[in-house]
Amino acid sequence: MSFNNNNNNINNNVNNINNNNKKPLANSLAGTPPAKKILVIKNLKQIPKTPENYEDSSWSKLSSAISSINKKEATTLTQEELYKMVENLCFDKTLASNLYNKISVQIEQHITQTLRHLVSTMSSDPIIFLKSINSIWKDHTNQMIMIRSIFLYLDRTYVIQNSNTVKSIWDLGLFYFGNNLSQQSNLERKTIDSLLYSIRCEREGDEIDRDLIHSLVKMLSSLHIYTKFENEFIKETNRFYDMEGNIKINEVEIPMYLKYVCDRLSQESERLMRYLEQSTKKQLMAVLDRQLIERHVDVILEKGFNTMVNGDRLEDLGRLYQLLNGVGEIKKIKESWQSYIKQTGIQMLNDKEKEATLIQDLLDYKDRLDRILNQSFSKNELLTYALKESFEYFINTKQNKPAELVARFIDSKLKVGGKRMSEEELETVLNKSLILFRYIQGKDVFEAFYKQDLSKRLLLDKSTSIDAEKSMISKLKTECGTTFTAKLEEMFKDIELSNDIMNSFRDSPITQNFKSIEMNIYVLTSGNWPMQPPIEATLPKEFLEYQEVFNKFYLSKHNGKTLKWQNALSHCVVKANFNQTKKELAVSLFQTIILFLFNDVADGCELSYRDIQANTGLPAGELKRNLQSLCSSKNDILIQKKSSASSSSSSSSGISSNSGTSKPKLIVVDETDTFLFNPKFTHKLFKVKVNNIQAQETVEENQKTNETILSDRQYQVDAAIVRIMKTRKTLAHNLLISELVSLLKFQPKPVDLKKRIEILIEKEYLCRDPENAMIYNYMA
C-alpha cells in the first residue's frame, strides 16, 4: 500500500511541477537563463577515530604479508587490502612513523638472517659463491619491489614529508643489504675478489658467465660500493698488463705485438660495454695505454719501424700510428720516419752501381712513402711535412749530381728511343719528376743540363712530342717563374723562325742547282743555346757549296750578323748499297764524311786511321769516337783491323772483351788500325740509326756545362753580396755569410763565399773596417 501511495505522491508532485513551470519555461526560452547554484562542501562535524586495536591488528597482517613475500609464499590478503591498511595508518603521523620503524626492523632482520645463512654455507669456489650471492640479490630486489608496492602510500606521504631524515622503502632495503654485506664476515671483500678472479680468467682465455658478472656489478653500483670494486679492478688490471706486456714485447715480433695490443684494447672496450660501468673507461684505457704502449714506445720503434716500412706493411703501420697517436707520441713516429727516409735516401744516392736508375728508384721510393703516409698515417700533417723535409735534406747531401740526373731522367722520357708511353703516362712521370725537382736546391744545375739535353732533342729531331716539351716548359715556368724558362722558350722560337727561313730559302731561285741533296738548317741565337766551340772538319764539296749559298741568302736579309756552323750537331741521312740490300743510314755529319771516303776506295780495300784523319780533318778524340760507333758490334758498317802491335797491347790491357756478359765488346781505336767497308752488313730495319753518339754527352760537354754552372754561380754570389751590402752598408762576416746562404738558390760552401768576398774587396766594392777586420763596409 505504501509503495502505491508513494507513486501517487510522486505523480502528483510531477504534475504540480509541470503545471507550475509552464509559464516560467516560456519565459526562460524567451529571456535570460536562471541563476547558477553554488555547491558548498563543509567539514565533517567530527573526524572519525581509528579503533584502538587497529594499528596492532593491521601491522600483524602487514608483517605476515612481508614474511610471506620473503618466504616466496602467497599472502592471505590481497594487495589492495594491504595497501588500504597502509593508507589508513598513514592518516595519523604517529601511526605512520611507527609503521615505518616496524618495516625497517623487519627488513633488516630478514637481510641479516639471509646473509648469515650465506656465510655459513659459503663455498670456497669463487664462481659458486658469485652465483649464490647473485641469487640472494635477485630475490632481495624482487621482494623489495613487492613490499614497496604495498607500502607505496607510506613512501608518497610520510617518507616525502620527512625526506631529510628517513629513506624510501627501496633505499632502506639497499642500505641494509650493503651494510650487512660489508659486516658479515667480509662478504664485500669476498665478492670483489671473486669478481676480479672471474675477469682475470676471462683475460686469460676462459669463458665466463658475463650475465652473472653484469648483474653483480649492477648490485655493487646500486649499493654504492662500485668505487671500491673499481679501484681494485684498476690495480689488478695494472698488475696484469704490466706482466703480460713485458713478456709479449720480448717474445713476439713488433707487428704481432701491435696486433696483440689492438686485440686487448678491443677486448677491454667490449668488457666495458658488456658488464662494467662507463665511468671506468677512462682509468681502464689509461692503464692499457701506459702498460702496453707508452712504456714500450722506444722498443717498438727501434725494433719494428724500419722493418715494417721496408716491408710495406701498411696494416701494421696503421696500427702503429693509431696506437702511438692515441697516447700523444706522434713526435716519436716523426723522428723514426725522418731517420728512415734520410738514411735510406743517402744509401740510394751513394750506390754508384745504381746511379743509372737512381731517379726512377727515388720516384718509386717516394710513391711507397706516399702510400704509407696516405693509407697508414692518415695523411698526418706533421708526418707529411717530415717527409718533405727529409727528402729535401738527403737529396741535397750530394750537390749537383741529383739535379743533373733529374734532367737526364726527363730527357730519357721526352727523347725518341725510350719506352713508349701514352700521353697520360708521360704526364704522370713528368709531374712526379717535378716533385724531385722541387726538393733540389741547385736548380741552376738542373737548368744547365736540361737546356743541354733539350738542344739535342730539338736539333737532332729526337723529341717524342713538341707538345710534351712545351708542357714541361710550362710546368717549370709555374715552379720557378719566367726568368728560369726564358731561354728555353727562346729555343723553341728559334726553331720556329728557322723553319720559316728555310721555307723562304727553298723558294728562292738560288737553290735550283742543289736538287741532289736536301739540307735543313737551324739558325740559332748563340745566347739561348748551350753551344760548344765549333769543331772544324773537311766537308764534301756539295756541303760547302750549299753552306756558302745559304750564307749569302741569310746575310743578305740580316745585315751585320755572322753565322758559325756547328758541325758537331749536324746529322745526315745517306743511302748505302750493300751486297744484299740497300739501306738508309741516319749518321752524324762526321760519320758521313768518314763513310764518303770509302766511295773512292775499291771494294775490299782498306783505309788507315791516319788516311781518314788526314782526309776528314777531325780532331783525334772526335774521330776515334765516330769510328768506334761505325765499328761497333751493333752497327759494324766498318770492319776494324788491328796491327799486331796494337792487338797485343789491347789484349794485355784487357780492354777488348767482356766475356760472360751481354755487353758488347769495347772498341779501342789505335792510330795504327785500318778500316774496311763491310759489304755484308745486314739489319732488320731499312732506316738504321747510327748517330746515337750525338745524343750522348761527351766528357768535354759535361765538363763545359759544370764550368758554366760554376761561372754563373760566381756571378750570382757577387751580385748577392753587393745587393746585401748596398742595403746594409756595414755588416759582420758571419751575418753576411748567413744572409747569403738564405738568399742564394743553391747551397754554397763558406770557403767559396769567402773567396768571392776577397775578390770584391780587391775590386773595391767592399772594404774591411779599420778597427775590426771581420766587419765589411760597402764602398759606393
Side-chain angles (χ1 to χ4, degrees):
M1 290 294 294
S2 61
F3 180 79
N4 291 333
N5 290 337
N6 288 338
N7 285 341
N8 291 332
N9 291 336
I10 291 171
N11 290 332
N12 291 333
N13 290 336
V14 170
N15 291 330
N16 291 334
I17 290 171
N18 291 334
N19 292 330
N20 293 334
N21 289 339
K22 285 181 181 179
K23 189 172 182 180
L25 180 60
N27 291 337
S28 66
L29 293 172
T32 58
K36 294 181 179 179
K37 292 183 179 181
I38 299 174
L39 179 64
V40 179
I41 300 176
K42 295 181 180 181
N43 292 330
L44 295 172
K45 293 180 180 179
Q46 186 176 359
I47 298 174
K49 294 182 178 180
T50 304
E52 293 181 1
N53 61 342
Y54 186 76
E55 179 183 7
D56 294 335
S57 62
S58 297
W59 170 245
S60 176
K61 296 174 183 178
L62 291 170
S63 177
S64 175
I66 293 172
S67 297
S68 298
I69 291 171
N70 289 335
K71 295 175 183 178
K72 302 180 183 180
E73 297 175 353
T75 57
T76 55
L77 298 177
T78 64
Q79 185 174 343
E80 183 178 0
E81 291 173 329
L82 296 170
Y83 182 87
K84 189 64 178 176
M85 288 182 189
V86 174
E87 183 180 358
N88 292 335
L89 291 171
C90 288
F91 284 136
D92 189 309
K93 292 182 179 180
T94 303
L95 297 180
S97 177
N98 294 338
L99 179 61
Y100 181 85
N101 293 332
K102 292 175 181 179
I103 296 171
S104 177
V105 171
Q106 188 164 354
I107 291 174
E108 182 183 13
Q109 289 175 348
H110 172 69
I111 292 173
T112 302
Q113 291 173 2
T114 304
L115 293 180
R116 281 179 180 171
H117 178 71
L118 174 63
V119 171
S120 63
T121 60
M122 185 167 55
S123 172
S124 60
D125 184 285
I127 305 303
I128 296 175
F129 169 76
L130 291 178
K131 289 180 179 179
S132 300
I133 197 168
N134 184 59
S135 176
I136 292 173
W137 168 250
K138 286 188 173 181
D139 289 344
H140 170 75
T141 53
N142 292 333
Q143 292 160 6
M144 291 306 301
I145 289 171
M146 296 180 67
I147 292 171
R148 184 179 58 177
S149 64
I150 294 172
F151 294 90
L152 187 59
Y153 195 83
L154 180 66
D155 259 351
R156 291 179 176 177
T157 54
Y158 175 77
V159 172
I160 291 176
Q161 293 167 4
N162 299 274
S163 57
N164 294 331
T165 57
V166 298
K167 304 177 185 295
S168 68
I169 303 297
W170 178 261
D171 290 342
L172 201 63
L174 294 179
F175 171 76
Y176 287 127
F177 196 98
N179 195 43
N180 276 273
L181 194 67
S182 60
Q183 293 177 359
Q184 293 287 345
S185 297
N186 209 8
L187 283 176
E188 179 184 301
R189 179 74 261 171
K190 175 73 173 177
T191 303
I192 292 175
D193 289 344
S194 298
L195 286 171
L196 295 177
Y197 170 80
S198 296
I199 294 172
R200 184 167 62 254
C201 289
E202 186 181 35
R203 283 172 173 163
E204 291 174 352
D206 297 337
E207 289 189 8
I208 64 170
D209 188 347
R210 289 188 165 190
D211 291 333
L212 173 64
I213 305 301
H214 177 263
S215 175
L216 291 170
V217 167
K218 286 294 182 185
M219 177 192 79
L220 297 179
S221 180
S222 299
L223 299 176
H224 305 292
I225 54 177
Y226 179 78
T227 304
K228 294 181 181 180
F229 162 76
E230 184 181 62
N231 292 337
E232 295 298 322
F233 171 73
I234 295 300
K235 289 179 183 178
E236 169 62 23
T237 302
N238 194 65
R239 286 191 296 268
F240 180 84
Y241 286 116
D242 176 23
M243 183 182 298
E244 187 174 75
N246 285 329
I247 294 172
K248 290 290 184 181
I249 195 68
N250 293 311
E251 283 186 352
V252 301
E253 295 181 352
I254 296 302
M256 293 301 297
Y257 180 79
L258 295 174
K259 188 176 186 307
Y260 151 76
V261 174
C262 289
D263 290 342
R264 280 305 193 187
L265 288 170
S266 177
Q267 291 167 11
E268 294 298 335
S269 296
E270 185 181 359
R271 190 166 288 117
L272 276 166
M273 295 294 296
R274 189 66 181 85
Y275 55 74
L276 295 175
E277 294 291 321
Q278 287 303 306
S279 59
T280 310
K281 181 177 182 179
K282 184 176 181 180
Q283 294 184 69
L284 176 60
M285 291 305 167
V287 169
L288 267 70
D289 289 342
R290 182 173 61 255
Q291 296 295 349
L292 300 183
I293 305 173
E294 293 175 11
R295 291 180 57 197
H296 305 296
V297 168
D298 294 336
V299 177
I300 291 171
L301 294 174
E302 183 180 349
K303 290 174 59 178
F305 187 82
N306 288 2
T307 303
M308 289 187 288
V309 177
N310 280 330
D312 208 18
R313 302 179 70 161
L314 300 179
E315 187 176 355
D316 295 328
L317 287 168
R319 291 193 189 101
L320 174 72
Y321 172 77
Q322 291 175 358
L323 294 175
L324 268 63
N325 189 41
V327 297
E329 292 289 0
I330 195 69
K331 289 186 178 179
K332 289 197 174 181
I333 295 182
K334 176 193 169 187
E335 292 172 3
S336 298
W337 180 238
Q338 285 180 313
S339 176
Y340 174 84
I341 296 171
K342 291 177 182 178
Q343 290 177 7
T344 307
I346 290 172
Q347 288 175 3
M348 294 172 70
L349 288 179
N350 293 332
D351 190 348
K352 294 183 179 180
E353 294 182 359
K354 295 185 178 180
E355 189 175 278
T357 61
L358 175 63
I359 300 303
Q360 185 60 56
D361 292 342
L362 287 176
L363 292 177
D364 295 340
Y365 180 45
K366 179 67 167 53
D367 286 342
R368 184 162 62 86
L369 296 177
D370 284 338
R371 187 164 57 252
I372 292 172
L373 186 65
N374 295 333
Q375 297 183 26
S376 300
F377 295 162
S378 302
K379 301 180 181 179
N380 182 275
E381 291 185 5
L382 187 65
L383 299 180
T384 301
Y385 180 76
L387 171 60
K388 175 183 176 297
E389 188 181 52
S390 302
F391 235 92
E392 187 173 347
Y393 168 82
F394 82 73
I395 207 170
N396 289 294
T397 55
K398 200 170 184 179
Q399 289 191 349
N400 299 351
K401 196 62 180 179
E404 177 186 344
L405 292 176
V406 171
R408 294 280 185 260
F409 178 79
I410 295 175
D411 174 61
S412 69
K413 300 303 177 184
L414 293 174
K415 183 169 59 179
V416 173
K419 180 182 177 182
R420 289 189 177 183
M421 293 187 291
S422 64
E423 292 183 5
E424 293 77 9
E425 290 173 336
L426 181 59
E427 190 74 9
T428 301
V429 171
L430 294 179
N431 287 333
K432 288 182 177 181
S433 303
L434 278 177
I435 295 175
L436 296 183
F437 172 74
R438 293 188 190 106
Y439 296 143
I440 295 169
Q441 292 177 349
K443 290 182 172 56
D444 55 337
V445 177
F446 172 88
E447 180 188 8
F449 283 100
Y450 185 85
K451 186 190 294 185
Q452 181 78 25
D453 295 333
L454 175 62
S455 67
K456 290 188 176 182
R457 291 198 300 274
L458 294 178
L459 298 178
L460 300 177
D461 196 24
K462 293 285 187 179
S463 181
T464 55
S465 167
I466 295 298
D467 290 337
E469 296 281 6
K470 291 184 177 180
S471 173
M472 187 63 197
I473 299 296
S474 177
K475 295 178 193 296
L476 293 173
K477 188 175 183 178
T478 303
E479 291 292 329
C480 303
T482 54
T483 305
F484 187 83
T485 58
K487 291 186 178 181
L488 301 177
E489 292 175 316
E490 289 296 327
M491 292 168 70
F492 284 94
K493 291 181 181 179
D494 283 350
I495 296 296
E496 293 171 0
L497 183 59
S498 296
N499 292 331
D500 294 338
I501 293 172
M502 285 306 301
N503 290 333
S504 177
F505 175 65
R506 292 190 184 98
D507 294 338
S508 65
I510 60 175
T511 61
Q512 299 303 315
N513 296 327
F514 295 94
K515 298 298 183 181
S516 60
I517 61 173
E518 182 179 347
M519 187 178 292
N520 188 49
I521 300 169
Y522 292 116
V523 181
L524 312 175
T525 306
S526 58
N528 296 334
W529 296 76
M531 296 298 181
Q532 301 292 331
I535 298 175
E536 298 297 331
T538 303
L539 302 182
K541 178 183 177 181
E542 296 88 349
F543 286 25
L544 292 173
E545 290 176 353
Y546 206 107
Q547 285 183 356
E548 185 62 27
V549 170
F550 184 81
N551 275 335
K552 291 180 180 179
F553 169 79
Y554 183 80
L555 296 178
S556 67
K557 294 180 178 295
H558 301 85
N559 190 22
K561 293 189 176 181
T562 58
L563 292 178
K564 292 183 180 180
W565 294 87
Q566 291 286 341
N567 295 326
L569 293 174
S570 300
H571 59 99
C572 306
V573 176
V574 299
K575 294 179 180 179
N577 296 321
F578 298 97
N579 288 349
Q580 299 179 356
T581 183
K582 294 181 179 181
K583 300 288 183 183
E584 286 188 357
L585 305 178
V587 289
S588 69
L589 177 58
F590 296 153
Q591 290 172 334
T592 301
I593 62 177
I594 292 172
L595 292 174
F596 267 29
L597 297 177
F598 289 91
N599 284 338
D600 300 328
V601 177
D603 293 345
C605 292
E606 303 172 357
L607 282 175
S608 68
Y609 172 86
R610 291 186 177 90
D611 289 339
I612 295 173
Q613 186 177 31
N615 286 285
T616 59
L618 289 171
E622 197 65 37
L623 177 58
K624 289 180 178 180
R625 201 162 70 96
N626 283 275
L627 285 172
Q628 285 174 343
S629 177
L630 291 170
C631 296
S632 68
S633 59
K634 183 178 180 181
N635 299 319
D636 63 7
I637 297 172
L638 298 181
I639 299 173
Q640 179 188 22
K641 289 189 175 182
K642 304 187 76 66
S643 65
S644 58
S646 63
S647 177
S648 61
S649 174
S650 298
S651 176
S652 63
S653 63
I655 296 175
S656 61
S657 66
N658 283 315
S659 59
T661 67
S662 61
K663 294 182 180 179
K665 292 182 179 180
L666 179 62
I667 303 297
V668 178
V669 176
D670 295 310
E671 294 184 1
T672 56
D673 293 345
T674 58
F675 299 91
L676 175 69
F677 182 74
N678 180 17
K680 298 180 180 180
F681 172 79
T682 58
H683 199 282
K684 62 180 180 180
L685 299 177
F686 173 71
K687 187 173 183 178
V688 183
K689 293 182 179 180
V690 189
N691 66 329
N692 290 330
I693 59 168
Q694 284 187 292
Q696 298 170 1
E697 184 183 48
T698 63
V699 176
E700 292 78 9
E701 287 176 337
N702 188 283
Q703 184 178 355
K704 182 69 179 349
T705 303
N706 282 298
E707 288 174 357
T708 303
I709 293 167
L710 291 175
S711 177
D712 290 343
R713 284 186 171 182
Q714 289 178 359
Y715 296 140
Q716 292 179 41
V717 172
D718 291 351
I721 293 172
V722 172
R723 192 181 307 121
I724 292 170
M725 292 304 301
K726 189 175 182 179
T727 304
R728 304 292 292 275
K729 303 303 181 185
T730 300
L731 199 61
H733 175 81
N734 291 337
L735 291 176
L736 177 58
I737 297 296
S738 177
E739 290 199 28
L740 283 171
V741 170
S742 61
L743 183 63
L744 294 171
K745 295 180 179 179
F746 55 90
Q747 190 69 31
K749 295 179 180 179
V751 176
D752 295 335
L753 296 179
K754 189 175 181 180
K755 288 180 181 179
R756 300 315 304 171
I757 292 172
E758 294 295 338
I759 292 172
L760 290 175
I761 290 175
E762 291 176 5
K763 293 180 178 180
E764 298 184 350
Y765 284 96
L766 309 176
C767 67
R768 296 185 185 276
D769 190 88
E771 298 180 357
N772 189 346
M774 295 301 292
I775 295 178
Y776 305 113
N777 296 323
Y778 176 70
M779 298 177 67

